[in-house]
Amino acid sequence: MTVHALNELLLVCSLVLLVAVAAVRISSRSGLPSLLLYLGIGIALGQDGIFDVKFDNAELTQVIGYAALVVILAEGGLGAKWKEVKPVLPAAAVVSTVGVGISVGITASAAHYLVGLDWRQALIIGAVVSSTDAAAVFSVLRRVPLPPRITGVLEAESGFNDAPVVILVVAFSAAGPVEHWYVLVAEIALELAIGAAIGIAVGWLGSLGLRHVALPASGLYPIAVMAIAVSAYAAGAMAHGSGFLAVYLAAMILGNSKLPHWPATRGFADGLGWLAQIGMFVLLGLLVTPHDLVDDFWPAIVVGLVLTMVARPLSVFLSLAPFRMPAREKVLMSWAGLRGAVPIILATIPMVSGVQGSTRIFNIVFVLVIVYTLIQGPTLPWVANKLNIADDPAEADDLGIESAPLERLRGHLLSVDIPAKSKMHGVEVGELRLPAGAAVTLVVREGTSFVPSPATVLRRGDELLVVATDPVRDRAEERLRAVGEGGKLAGWLGTGSPVANAPGMVGPHGGSAIPQAMKLAKKLGGAGAGAPGNGNGSGTKTSP
């Protein structure tokens, strides 16, 4: 490739990215999942489009799609909150396994009897479209104020169900007769178990290392976190397990491990996830030939109608029957089973394997995803309102806490942002009752910093700098989050650490300074929570 050709390629890629970023803004305003706009960009670039780019490499698309899916699952796992996922983990596991089996059977039957596909093609389509798409679910649900229970089930399901679906699609696309169902079930169970074990192990070891080793630059933490998550996928796949499950679980553990410089890591992963989505969807748009979709439009509508109105609701209601969930929540979860790039990527597997009629399978899946995502995505908030399901507006926002390790001083500097709905608003510094070895050294309010006294009243929008020694770092963060959720009565209300004024803890109206934290603060050039200050929280800058 010449330098001139490289320059042209870079220019085209830059323009595509700029258009894609503008598409994010459009999708956020219109409620449309961004995948539709990215696919539109790819179609406009490809055959029958403005630039008429010829691209038909299904194998390359599959490889790049897998790589992008790994990044998207890692980003989704990093953003998953364990306190939301933990209570619904059994339900999500059942929906993503038993529910997938029910959906495959019903959808395949419709494709065979109503559309006229042979059983192999029908089973492939049933398996391909039974996987909800992580990127579509994450992007839509984070704009819809749903209760954490529903959000937890849907996000965990989208992270878990890729693994069994990939196994089914590969099995149905293989040459020769399809294995007996019990062999497939055993294979799926084994691969999921291997993937889960490797993902948990890699995530735990990675979080342990990142929490105890101070890297020379804060910018290395996001790279290290993503590298650990991707290595979980590679290790899982090489061990003949589910790499997709491994990367999601490893990322979830890393995301809930209170790692240093977490906001920067989260922002980096979010940007990388968007880049993976853009590249994957544009490439899928390039692969499709629009004029070939006409003949498969109505078969796709029929299969999608059965999937959306029969297969998905039955899979949700039957698989969640053992769990006590209201029927209206199951209805919403039935409607929120969004498809996206994952089914389209999986539809390239039979193309690469040379399955007869694989091009028709791809076209049906492509049309189905476009049409029903266009219907389901924008109407999800309306359905939630009609079912009277919405998140509790009174629920307190979680604190934004960023930790920077101070390896040489054997401590941590915590930066705490108090959001608008946090119950830390109105709490005095002394009423935080941080453990011995932790102290609030500085408050930044409306651009002005000051050293607080125990009687300083905290307000929404404040940023606190908290110094904590190594042994109490976790307890200090736990206590801060507890006060953010439950206010000054956090312990009595059943959240967070006890509020008993134990020895060495700062009392609600003053009390002794904390020697260890004071020592750290002085080394940093700050002051302890008990240092002299204005005491009224007025925001006037004072000297230590």
Side-chain angles (χ1 to χ4, degrees):
M1 178 181 291
T2 64
V3 175
H4 180 70
L6 178 61
N7 292 337
E8 290 183 344
L9 178 62
L10 291 174
L11 177 61
V12 171
C13 291
S14 300
L15 291 175
V16 169
L17 284 175
L18 287 173
V19 173
V21 170
V24 175
R25 181 64 175 171
I26 296 173
S27 67
S28 64
R29 285 177 171 267
S30 63
L32 291 174
S34 54
L35 72 93
L36 296 178
L37 299 174
Y38 302 151
L39 284 171
I41 294 173
I43 292 173
L45 293 173
Q47 299 180 57
D48 298 342
I50 300 173
F51 296 94
D52 196 28
V53 176
K54 300 294 191 297
F55 179 80
D56 58 359
N57 194 330
E59 187 173 3
L60 176 61
T61 302
Q62 181 182 324
V63 171
I64 295 177
Y66 271 36
L69 183 56
V70 169
V71 175
I72 292 169
L73 286 172
E75 189 271 331
L78 291 173
K81 296 180 180 178
W82 177 243
K83 66 179 182 180
E84 295 180 2
V85 174
K86 181 180 178 181
V88 300
L89 194 58
V94 173
V95 173
S96 58
T97 51
V98 177
V100 163
I102 296 171
S103 179
V104 170
I106 296 174
T107 308
S109 298
H112 177 71
Y113 291 110
L114 299 181
V115 178
L117 299 178
D118 64 49
W119 273 114
R120 180 180 292 274
Q121 296 171 350
L123 286 171
I124 291 173
I125 285 184
V128 164
V129 299
S130 293
S131 174
T132 55
D133 182 68
V137 170
F138 296 155
S139 63
V140 172
L141 289 185
R142 289 170 187 175
R143 293 186 289 103
V144 181
L146 297 178
R149 178 176 61 256
I150 298 177
T151 302
V153 171
L154 292 172
E155 290 197 358
E157 178 203 4
S158 66
F160 293 162
N161 63 13
D162 292 334
V165 166
V166 169
I167 297 171
L168 289 175
V169 175
V170 171
F172 295 149
S173 301
V178 178
E179 295 182 275
H180 297 293
W181 66 269
Y182 51 84
V183 177
L184 283 178
V185 171
E187 183 180 352
I188 290 172
L190 178 61
E191 292 198 18
L192 291 179
I194 294 173
I198 291 177
I200 292 172
V202 172
W204 182 79
L205 291 173
S207 65
L208 186 67
L210 289 176
R211 284 168 55 84
H212 290 85
V213 177
L215 298 178
S218 61
L220 294 176
Y221 282 92
I223 298 174
V225 168
M226 292 302 297
I228 292 170
V230 173
S231 67
Y233 169 82
M238 292 175 66
H240 301 287
S242 171
F244 293 123
L245 182 59
V247 67
Y248 186 76
L249 289 178
M252 185 186 297
I253 292 173
L254 290 167
N256 289 272
S257 296
K258 303 172 185 175
L259 299 178
H261 302 289
W262 179 243
T265 300
R266 189 72 191 91
F268 177 80
D270 192 39
L272 206 58
W274 277 111
L275 186 61
Q277 288 186 53
I278 293 170
M280 178 172 60
F281 296 147
V282 170
L283 193 62
L284 290 171
L286 280 172
L287 184 64
V288 72
T289 304
H291 69 261
D292 290 341
L293 301 178
V294 178
D295 294 338
D296 297 313
F297 179 82
W298 288 112
I301 296 299
V302 172
V303 173
L305 188 62
V306 174
L307 171 67
T308 305
M309 306 306 296
V310 182
R312 173 66 181 180
L314 279 178
S315 67
V316 170
F317 274 82
L318 292 177
S319 59
L320 293 180
F323 304 94
R324 295 181 178 179
M325 298 187 70
R328 58 194 179 95
E329 293 187 0
K330 295 178 183 178
V331 171
L332 181 63
M333 283 190 283
S334 300
W335 190 250
L338 303 177
R339 273 74 193 172
V342 172
I344 302 176
I345 292 171
L346 297 181
T348 63
I349 294 177
M351 297 178 70
V352 175
S353 302
V355 175
Q356 184 178 3
S358 58
T359 302
R360 190 183 186 197
I361 293 173
F362 181 86
N363 291 340
I364 290 175
V365 171
F366 192 93
V367 173
L368 187 155
V369 168
I370 296 297
V371 172
Y372 285 94
T373 303
L374 189 62
I375 295 172
Q376 290 176 272
T379 58
L380 187 58
W382 179 83
V383 173
N385 289 331
K386 287 296 182 181
L387 294 171
N388 197 25
I389 298 176
D391 197 6
D392 181 10
E395 185 177 349
D397 287 339
D398 192 18
L399 292 175
I401 300 180
E402 179 172 1
S403 172
L406 307 170
E407 188 176 39
R408 186 174 58 85
L409 302 179
R410 299 181 59 81
H412 294 264
L413 181 64
L414 305 180
S415 173
V416 183
D417 292 321
I418 303 179
K421 293 196 295 182
S422 173
K423 294 185 179 179
M424 191 177 285
H425 175 75
V427 176
E428 296 180 6
V429 169
E431 291 172 328
L432 294 176
R433 294 181 175 89
L434 297 176
V440 180
T441 61
L442 198 69
V443 174
V444 181
R445 178 174 296 162
E446 297 178 353
T448 304
S449 60
F450 62 94
V451 176
S453 74
T456 298
V457 179
L458 300 176
R459 300 177 184 174
R460 59 177 61 93
D462 285 354
E463 181 179 353
L464 315 181
L465 295 183
V466 179
V467 176
T469 56
D470 255 344
V472 302
R473 182 248 188 241
D474 289 343
R475 285 194 290 133
E477 182 170 340
E478 179 185 354
R479 179 59 191 166
L480 288 167
R481 293 192 185 279
V483 176
E485 293 176 3
K488 65 181 70 176
L489 301 179
W492 288 304
L493 294 177
T495 57
S497 55
V499 296
N501 203 13
M505 300 180 81
V506 181
H509 299 291
S512 62
I514 301 169
Q516 292 172 295
M518 287 284 290
K519 185 177 180 181
L520 271 175
K522 288 178 180 177
K523 288 184 178 181
L524 292 169
N534 59 348
N536 58 11
S538 64
T540 305
K541 187 174 180 180
T542 60
S543 301

